[in-house]
Each structure stands twice: as C-alpha cells, then as structure tokens.
Amino acid sequence: MRKLIAAAALTMMVSACSGEENFTSPSQREAKRRAATAASRNATQELHRGMALDYTGDIDTDFIIAMIPQHQSAIDMARAQLAHGQDPEARKLAKKIVDTQTGELAQMRTWLAKRQSSDAATKTQSQVAR
C-alpha cells in the first residue's frame, strides 16, 4: 500500500512539473532571463559599433563592409535565441538565420579579401608605372 501511495505521489509530482520552469527557482529563472537579455543586448551593441564605417567611395565595397556587421549581429542574436529561447517557431527561424547568414557572411568576407587584394595589386602596379 505504501508503494502504491508513493507511486501515485511521484506521478502527481511529475505531472505538475512538466516544464523546465517548474524545476528552477525564481532566482534561477531571473538569472536565465538576465543572461538572455545580456546576450541579445551585446549583439545589438556590436552591430552599432560595426556600423561606424569608414566609407571608401566604392559602392560595392561599402555595401559589403556595411553588410558584414549586420549579418554578424543577426547570427549573434539568433545564437542567443537558440541558447535561451523556448518557442519552437522562433528557434526554427533562429537556426535558419544562423545557417543562411553564416554562409553569406563567409561569402562577403571572401569577396572583400579578393577585392582588397585586387585593389592593392592595382595600386602597386600604378605606382610602379610612374
């Protein structure tokens, strides 16, 4: 009889504690919220710092340079969502953002490196021709 009562009590406790929120104290939940907010805020602050651009006057280069911090910030915010978020649809979107924009970011950095290398070669050639 005691085993039956213990089993019933355990079943009721497990049913009542169906979500992660029920297994953490209010202070632990608040700490998680603060960490999530800090991660999102840091990503946004990095975006603002990255947008302080030194424009080159070349629209192609300026476009790529401006897009790099935007993509990096989006990736950072999406990773914060994946680390702290719960909503399945938001998590799915965050994963898609990480996957898509990581590839685009690599493409932009490769393009910029090639462009800068080409610009440096052109500059050197014009200096040698003088």
Side-chain angles (χ1 to χ4, degrees), residues 8-64:
L10 180 61
T11 301
M12 287 174 33
M13 287 189 328
V14 169
S15 296
C17 299
S18 60
E20 178 186 339
E21 292 288 311
N22 294 319
F23 290 112
T24 58
S25 71
S27 62
Q28 289 171 318
R29 287 192 298 273
E30 183 57 29
K32 286 182 179 181
R33 284 186 197 104
R34 280 193 304 260
T37 299
S40 184
R41 184 177 292 126
N42 289 342
T44 303
Q45 289 171 343
E46 285 300 314
L47 169 62
H48 292 293
R49 276 191 284 279
M51 292 306 297
L53 304 175
D54 290 327
Y55 289 94
T56 66
D58 172 31
I59 187 62
D60 297 325
T61 300
D62 291 344
F63 167 73
I64 297 296

Side-chain angles (χ1 to χ4, degrees), residues 24-115:
T24 58
S25 71
S27 62
Q28 289 171 318
R29 287 192 298 273
E30 183 57 29
K32 286 182 179 181
R33 284 186 197 104
R34 280 193 304 260
T37 299
S40 184
R41 184 177 292 126
N42 289 342
T44 303
Q45 289 171 343
E46 285 300 314
L47 169 62
H48 292 293
R49 276 191 284 279
M51 292 306 297
L53 304 175
D54 290 327
Y55 289 94
T56 66
D58 172 31
I59 187 62
D60 297 325
T61 300
D62 291 344
F63 167 73
I64 297 296
I65 290 171
M67 292 305 294
I68 287 174
Q70 290 186 16
H71 276 60
Q72 186 61 61
S73 182
I75 292 165
D76 293 344
M77 285 187 263
R79 286 181 176 153
Q81 196 291 326
L82 290 169
H84 302 284
Q86 301 295 318
D87 183 80
E89 188 174 349
R91 291 179 60 77
K92 183 178 177 181
L93 180 59
K95 173 94 171 80
K96 183 177 178 183
I97 287 168
V98 170
D99 292 345
T100 305
Q101 294 201 16
T102 297
E104 291 172 354
L105 185 58
Q107 183 180 1
M108 287 184 276
R109 287 182 171 148
T110 299
W111 182 93
L112 188 58
K114 286 179 186 175
R115 180 67 161 232

